[in-house]
Amino acid sequence: MSKIYYTPFTNSLNAYTERMKSILSVYGDIKRIDKNALFNKILNFDFNDIIVVNWLENIMIDKKGEISFLGVIKVFIIFICFRCLFKKFIYVRHNHYPHACNKEKSKKAKKILDVLEQIAHVTVVHSPVEAKGSRIYIPHPLYNIESIQNKKNNSTFVIFGSISRYKKIEKVILNFPKNLSLLIMGKCDDDEYLKELMKLKESKPNVNIKSDYISDEMANKLISDSAGLLITHNDDDMIVSGSFFYAMSIECKTFVLNTPFFKWASEEIGDDYIRCFKNLDDMFSNLILESDVDLFNNGNNPKDLFSDEMIMDKFDKILN
């Protein structure tokens, strides 16, 4: 059986990694890549394996959001090594440029990534509208979570996922309608940012933040109980949103800001399931409080669009 090296091998903030490893395990033994593994491949002239790489480009951005010259050199060297040492080097491009990159450096960072992806044998994207040139579209996996058909709380909306500065959650807190409730759930690794948000919400009694550990079962229940999941950022860095696929997995109505991917998804799935808005003002003034809408009644079921079978059908063409 083939060996498929996967990096990062673990990700405590995102179940995506485990889902992809599980799907890829059909094609080979999933292995962790490290210096010893690379050294042994060189020593044994063993260049017949596959490697799948995610988010490695993040190392080219320093703590201040600047592009690090050494970081860029490092990621290029690593990519070239992977190209030479593996039969197939698959790079999954999740973003146009790393989330942590300062806005004024974003165009340069995007150009660097455009060059970087050419080194890989295959570049995968999770949005069909991004599958241009040599890029290959593979659907983003859904999560192994059972949907709960609860009675909806028609006044509470949820933001779920990592609490990160690039998402500009402070703008949401400041502008969220007073007659509705907002629950923000997720882990925050930026203590300073979390303090800023906590201070902001002191004057917003309709906003609650849960930044401590939340079990999958509790997150599922809280989101299923809500009027819907909000995705309130659509910066140029984003290709798709993991929160969106979580919502798809539990059949939760989703309110999003326009992006090319969300426009495609809305056309495929139907307006009863995903609602797109131009900006936050547009979203907040048009949040529709409906609890009895029949999902999927004028579009495709997302569990068909993003099924494991669809993903494996794409990987069959890449790996075989």
Side-chain angles (χ1 to χ4, degrees):
M1 202 174 198
S2 299
K3 284 186 283 187
I4 301 175
Y5 290 85
Y6 195 93
T7 184
F9 196 74
T10 58
N11 187 339
S12 61
L13 296 178
N14 194 339
Y16 167 90
T17 297
E18 294 306 317
R19 286 289 292 117
M20 287 297 283
K21 284 163 52 180
S22 174
I23 292 168
L24 285 166
S25 67
V26 172
Y27 301 96
D29 295 326
I30 309 301
K31 301 289 186 182
R32 184 193 297 267
I33 191 68
D34 54 27
K35 291 178 182 178
N36 288 335
L38 288 175
F39 179 76
N40 286 332
K41 291 184 75 61
I42 295 169
L43 198 64
N44 297 317
F45 292 93
D46 177 13
F47 308 131
N48 294 315
D49 299 323
I50 297 162
I51 188 166
V52 180
V53 175
N54 305 265
W55 300 296
L56 188 60
E57 68 274 10
N58 289 350
I59 66 175
M60 73 183 202
I61 306 299
D62 65 21
K63 292 180 180 179
K64 296 180 180 179
E66 299 290 323
I67 298 173
S68 162
F69 176 75
L70 290 178
V72 171
I73 295 300
K74 183 177 180 180
V75 75
F76 267 91
I77 290 173
I78 294 172
F79 266 53
I80 291 168
C81 286
F82 288 165
R83 171 80 188 207
C84 295
L85 296 178
F86 289 90
K87 176 179 68 176
K88 193 152 287 184
F89 166 22
I90 300 170
Y91 167 53
V92 184
R93 185 162 178 177
H94 293 275
N95 303 296
H96 292 123
Y97 55 88
H99 291 315
C101 182
N102 291 336
K103 191 71 174 178
E104 59 270 19
K105 302 291 184 181
S106 61
K107 288 185 179 179
K108 185 176 181 180
K110 183 180 181 299
K111 287 179 181 178
I112 293 171
L113 262 65
D114 289 343
V115 175
L116 196 64
E117 74 172 43
Q118 301 302 316
I119 298 172
H121 293 105
V122 177
T123 297
V124 164
V125 288
H126 290 314
S127 168
V129 297
E130 294 287 338
K132 301 168 184 175
S134 60
R135 292 176 181 171
I136 295 175
Y137 167 64
I138 293 182
H140 187 294
L142 298 180
Y143 300 105
N144 291 327
I145 310 165
E146 292 294 326
S147 60
I148 303 173
Q149 299 302 323
N150 288 344
K151 183 179 179 181
K152 304 295 182 183
N153 181 338
N154 277 2
S155 65
T156 299
F157 291 84
V158 175
I159 292 176
F160 179 60
S162 63
I163 299 174
S164 304
R165 194 175 292 273
Y166 76 87
K167 295 182 179 179
K168 301 181 179 67
I169 295 172
E170 66 277 8
K171 289 186 177 180
V172 180
I173 294 174
L174 287 170
N175 295 286
F176 195 74
K178 293 179 180 179
N179 63 319
L180 302 174
S181 298
L182 176 65
L183 172 60
I184 301 167
M185 293 192 299
K187 187 175 179 181
C188 183
D189 290 331
D190 185 339
D191 291 338
E192 195 61 37
Y193 185 52
L194 184 59
K195 287 178 185 176
E196 293 172 23
L197 297 181
M198 289 297 190
K199 188 167 183 62
L200 274 181
K201 88 171 193 70
E202 288 177 3
S203 60
K204 299 284 183 176
N206 60 326
V207 176
N208 188 20
I209 299 176
K210 288 183 176 290
S211 61
D212 49 353
Y213 172 75
I214 301 169
S215 68
D216 288 339
E217 293 78 11
M218 180 56 67
N220 187 354
K221 182 181 186 305
L222 290 171
I223 296 171
S224 297
D225 282 346
S226 75
L229 189 78
L230 305 184
I231 298 176
T232 56
H233 61 287
N234 64 342
D235 286 352
D236 293 338
D237 58 333
M238 189 170 78
I239 293 178
V240 298
S241 166
S243 299
F244 173 75
F245 293 99
Y246 189 97
M248 293 287 175
S249 303
I250 63 172
E251 300 182 5
C252 174
K253 195 189 301 184
T254 311
F255 301 82
V256 306
L257 296 186
N258 270 326
T259 68
F261 172 75
F262 286 143
K263 184 177 184 295
W264 170 83
S266 178
E267 291 169 353
E268 290 290 324
I269 298 167
D271 202 38
D272 285 338
Y273 191 83
I274 173 175
R275 299 188 186 275
C276 297
F277 301 92
K278 293 180 293 184
N279 50 48
L280 284 181
D281 288 341
D282 184 32
M283 176 186 285
F284 293 159
S285 62
N286 288 285
L287 283 178
I288 301 169
L289 307 182
E290 298 175 2
S291 60
D292 298 319
V293 172
D294 291 329
L295 300 184
F296 322 128
N297 67 348
N298 67 348
N300 294 312
N301 189 318
K303 293 192 175 182
D304 295 328
L305 279 177
F306 308 111
S307 68
D308 285 8
E309 290 74 21
M310 287 279 288
I311 296 169
M312 287 190 285
D313 181 65
K314 296 287 187 177
F315 271 125
D316 283 344
K317 296 178 175 63
I318 295 174
L319 300 177
N320 294 327

